[in-house]
Amino acid sequence: MKKFSSQKTLFDELDTEKSSQKTEIVAVLSDSIVSKFQNYKLDDYINDIETNGLAHTWSYICEYVLTYGENVDFLNAKNFGEMYEIALAIQDKIQKKNNGQYYTPEDVALVMSEWFDSLDGENICDVACGTGKLILTYLDFIGEEKAKNLIQSGKLFLYDIDSIALHICKTAILLKYGKDLEDKIHDIAGDFLSSKINLPANCKVISNPPYAAIQQVGFDWNETQVLNDSRELYSCFMEKIIEQSEAAVIITPYSFISGAKFYSLRKILNQCNGEIYSFDNVPGNIFCGRKHGIFNTNTSNSVRAAITVVKKGNADGFRLTPLIRFKSTERKDLYYYLSCKFTRNKLKSKIAG
């Protein structure tokens, strides 16, 4: 990674000594910091991440945009996801890969949001929300008035182990729907698999959980058969989401559909019903786009993915697609088709009922 060190950093005038015990940073925006942010560019951002770290840099970015608004050229919510991914690559590209962090493309997020909106559940939860691509897409899908009412009613819940990403997600939501709603959003920073963290009653979940093998079991995790059999984070996330929610839309690797070590997860799924859409990784990949900090030259990772729509209430089973293959030029048509097909299936279910 090229270093840009020839210019003054964002926090030169501040004491940049960092305490490992400090968990909250109070961002005070001086005139010089405001002036810098007004013309903030990628080089400035990289320099600040390298010099001051993730927590300091993003604390000031979030405070600035909430106070003064977005910078159209660079500092805007649409860029936050990729900006944060760049920062993770700068800070520790090995950590990013080991944590299984893969960000949801916009077209996939839109289809998941449409399916999610049709499900039962009063409280809205994004588990492993990251910087907010899924939940922001969903709120945009339902429209500003409904989104504001949802947040105002205290029915929005965000979960992530990464407190900085969670802060970015919440900031992006407040930027669009109003800073006055800050106290209405439930943002839960911590290990979702901890027995101390639970979903609210009568909820539905949208999620892109981490894709990584479990290196060490948390001391306060519930020891389940799925955990012991699979040793995969995403399958443990699926298990907890399914058990504690009324419905969910989850994007994960495809492997749980047939792998022997996921048998116990499939037994839990068999107590529900829904749809599973499975995608091959050639010639096109569901996770299109640049992946900063991954140790290969591909433009996207090579995970065979599945989008699972889970509904409680009966054990009718799942409609499962074959592996869907598509060219990159066919993405738009593919997701339009999937959207229409889901709507038709939903209508058939209502007629049959």
Side-chain angles (χ1 to χ4, degrees):
M1 174 68 69
K2 182 179 178 181
K3 293 187 177 181
F4 301 89
S5 55
S6 60
Q7 53 191 326
K8 184 178 179 181
T9 64
L10 179 60
F11 311 119
D12 275 349
E13 64 196 282
L14 304 176
D15 178 6
T16 58
E17 180 180 352
K18 305 172 185 67
S19 166
S20 60
Q21 301 301 316
K22 190 172 183 180
T23 58
E24 184 177 348
I25 298 167
V26 179
V28 179
L29 299 176
S30 67
D31 291 343
S32 59
I33 291 177
V34 171
S35 177
K36 185 178 181 71
F37 273 138
Q38 289 171 344
N39 299 287
Y40 206 54
K41 303 295 182 186
L42 178 60
D43 290 3
D44 303 313
Y45 175 66
I46 291 173
N47 199 29
D48 290 330
I49 292 293
E50 291 179 331
T51 305
N52 303 289
L54 277 171
H56 273 272
T57 301
W58 275 101
S59 177
Y60 279 79
I61 288 174
C62 290
E63 183 64 25
Y64 173 81
V65 295
L66 285 176
T67 304
Y68 295 95
E70 297 170 284
N71 175 325
V72 176
D73 294 330
F74 185 65
L75 280 185
N76 59 75
K78 287 186 177 181
N79 291 338
F80 284 177
E82 187 166 3
M83 286 174 65
Y84 192 62
E85 193 175 353
I86 290 170
L88 290 176
I90 294 170
Q91 177 176 270
D92 189 347
K93 61 184 178 181
I94 298 175
Q95 178 185 1
K96 178 185 182 296
K97 189 173 185 180
N98 288 344
N99 286 347
Q101 294 167 300
Y102 295 105
Y103 295 96
T104 317
E106 189 169 347
D107 50 8
V108 177
L110 182 58
V111 170
M112 289 178 66
S113 295
E114 184 173 353
W115 297 349
F116 182 63
D117 189 51
S118 70
L119 301 178
D120 294 333
E122 183 178 2
N123 291 302
I124 305 300
C125 302
D126 186 343
V127 171
C129 65
T131 56
K133 169 58 74 174
L134 279 175
I135 194 61
L136 285 164
T137 302
Y138 174 68
L139 293 174
D140 187 58
F141 176 79
I142 63 176
E144 184 173 356
E145 183 177 355
K146 286 185 177 180
K148 283 186 175 180
N149 289 338
L150 171 68
I151 300 170
Q152 181 66 46
S153 65
K155 296 177 181 178
L156 180 60
F157 294 77
L158 309 173
Y159 298 81
D160 207 284
I161 197 170
D162 185 337
S163 60
I164 303 172
L166 186 62
H167 186 197
I168 295 169
C169 176
K170 187 174 180 180
T171 297
I173 293 172
L174 296 177
L175 265 175
K176 183 158 188 178
Y177 300 105
K179 192 175 179 180
D180 59 308
L181 297 173
E182 182 172 5
D183 294 336
K184 301 296 184 179
I185 298 174
H186 304 275
D187 50 326
I188 299 93
D191 181 358
F192 179 71
L193 296 181
S194 167
S195 58
K196 297 177 182 177
I197 293 180
N198 294 289
L199 296 172
N202 191 21
C203 72
K204 58 182 177 179
V205 174
I206 191 166
S207 180
N208 181 353
Y211 307 174
I214 294 171
Q215 304 297 327
Q216 183 175 355
V217 175
F219 74 93
D220 60 350
W221 292 9
N222 290 322
E223 188 173 345
T224 68
Q225 193 65 47
V226 172
L227 168 62
N228 291 330
D229 290 347
S230 72
R231 311 296 290 190
E232 292 281 349
L233 283 173
Y234 86 82
S235 59
C236 293
F237 270 66
M238 288 182 73
E239 176 188 29
K240 186 167 182 177
I241 289 169
I242 291 167
E243 289 183 344
Q244 295 192 4
S245 68
E246 297 300 316
V249 180
I250 314 170
I251 183 167
T252 68
Y254 164 84
S255 49
F256 77 92
I257 293 174
S258 58
K261 68 179 184 178
F262 299 105
Y263 175 72
S264 53
L265 175 62
R266 291 196 296 273
K267 286 179 66 177
I268 293 172
L269 281 166
N270 280 338
Q271 300 170 20
C272 309
N273 69 95
E275 296 84 28
I276 302 176
Y277 300 84
S278 52
F279 301 86
D280 205 345
N281 56 353
V282 291
N285 193 295
I286 195 170
F287 290 103
C288 65
R290 291 168 290 183
K291 290 288 150 191
H292 304 279
I294 299 298
F295 293 114
N296 59 44
T297 57
N298 296 334
T299 56
S300 59
N301 72 77
S302 57
V303 173
R304 276 182 170 176
I307 301 177
T308 304
V309 182
V310 183
K311 291 169 273 190
K312 292 278 187 71
N314 56 58
D316 289 345
F318 286 79
R319 286 188 288 266
L320 174 63
T321 71
L323 277 173
I324 300 170
R325 290 187 171 187
F326 60 94
K327 298 177 182 178
S328 58
T329 55
E330 299 171 328
R331 284 186 72 95
K332 184 176 180 181
D333 292 339
L334 170 66
Y335 290 112
Y336 176 76
Y337 171 77
L338 290 175
S339 175
C340 293
K341 186 173 182 61
F342 185 86
T343 302
R344 288 196 298 270
N345 287 336
K346 180 184 174 187
L347 182 60
K348 287 179 182 178
S349 297
K350 283 187 175 181
I351 294 173

